[in-house]
Amino acid sequence: MSTPEPSDRDLAYQHILKNKKPNLRQYALEPQEAIDTYNTGRFVFPDPEDQGLEPYKDGAWRRKHSMTVASFLLGLPLPDPIIATRTPETRRGGVVSIVSGQRSLLSILTYLGCDTGHVRELHSVPIYPRIKHMQVNELTNGQVDEIMGMRTIPITIIETEHEVTFEEGVYGAGAVLRHYWMWSL
């Protein structure tokens, strides 16, 4: 008597059970470290031709840039989390590939004074109505140092020892990277 072929559902279920997931690690990036990493070109962003890569904009009804900066200043989770990958090759070079949340990161870096090619004004947001008076270039050096010392940028790092592509049922950092870039999350 022959055994029946497993259904597609059973095959998918077995695939999920056999596959390993990447190691996710929360990393608190110090603002000065983020500035130095950006200024030395060690952040790798997606191709700007594929996506309009710039910090968030605030419009008539939308305050995404200001809300992102307010969340950073208050130590709250960012509206769009920052997800990055590090593979064995990039760990040695100190390069971090931003998978998702690149606009959140660029908004914070723009606020901190990095030359991202864009200037963004802060506007009032419900959680922090006086945020427009917190422009970093209008603060004293002592105030800037205090903000830099008490706030970090939360990044989820995807670490894997595997190759950059999906390989033998193991999700490599590159596969995760392509997944997020494909959906522009």
Side-chain angles (χ1 to χ4, degrees):
M1 190 164 140
S2 67
T3 58
E5 286 288 318
S7 68
D8 287 342
R9 183 197 67 209
D10 291 337
L11 289 173
Y13 175 72
Q14 291 302 320
H15 182 78
I16 289 170
L17 292 180
K18 287 180 186 174
N19 285 297
K20 297 178 182 176
K21 64 180 183 177
N23 181 28
L24 302 179
R25 183 174 64 87
Q26 294 297 319
Y27 182 70
L29 185 64
E30 299 288 331
Q32 191 58 53
E33 182 184 357
I35 292 169
D36 294 343
T37 303
Y38 181 79
N39 288 338
T40 57
R42 291 182 292 143
F43 279 129
V44 177
F45 293 98
D47 187 359
E49 293 175 7
D50 293 342
Q51 301 178 18
L53 187 59
E54 61 181 66
Y56 286 120
K57 295 179 183 178
D58 286 347
W61 304 104
R62 186 176 177 206
R63 300 280 185 252
K64 194 86 175 212
H65 175 72
S66 297
M67 290 183 81
T68 300
V69 172
S71 296
F72 163 70
L73 290 173
L74 289 168
L76 296 173
L78 298 175
D80 290 327
I82 301 169
I83 300 173
T85 62
R86 284 195 223 182
T87 57
E89 303 83 50
T90 59
R91 267 193 224 132
R92 285 193 295 273
V95 176
V96 178
S97 297
I98 304 300
V99 175
S100 179
Q102 54 266 21
R103 295 178 87 185
S104 292
L105 180 59
L106 284 173
S107 289
I108 293 169
L109 290 171
T110 299
Y111 174 74
L112 293 174
C114 287
D115 182 14
T116 62
H118 300 276
V119 177
R120 296 284 185 257
E121 299 259 337
L122 293 178
H123 301 277
S124 294
V125 293
I127 196 167
Y128 209 162
R130 295 185 177 160
I131 193 171
K132 61 185 172 182
H133 301 293
M134 294 292 295
Q135 291 279 13
V136 77
N137 59 351
E138 296 172 5
L139 300 175
T140 66
N141 287 342
Q143 290 170 326
V144 171
D145 290 343
E146 191 171 351
I147 287 173
M148 295 285 223
M150 64 184 202
R151 296 292 176 247
T152 59
I153 303 168
I155 296 183
T156 300
I157 302 285
I158 301 168
E159 293 183 325
T160 177
E161 297 297 325
H162 307 290
E163 293 299 317
V164 295
T165 58
F166 180 82
E167 178 182 302
E168 294 183 23
V170 180
Y171 293 97
V176 175
L177 187 79
R178 278 194 298 281
H179 169 76
Y180 275 94
W181 283 358
M182 178 173 50
W183 292 106
S184 301
L185 295 177

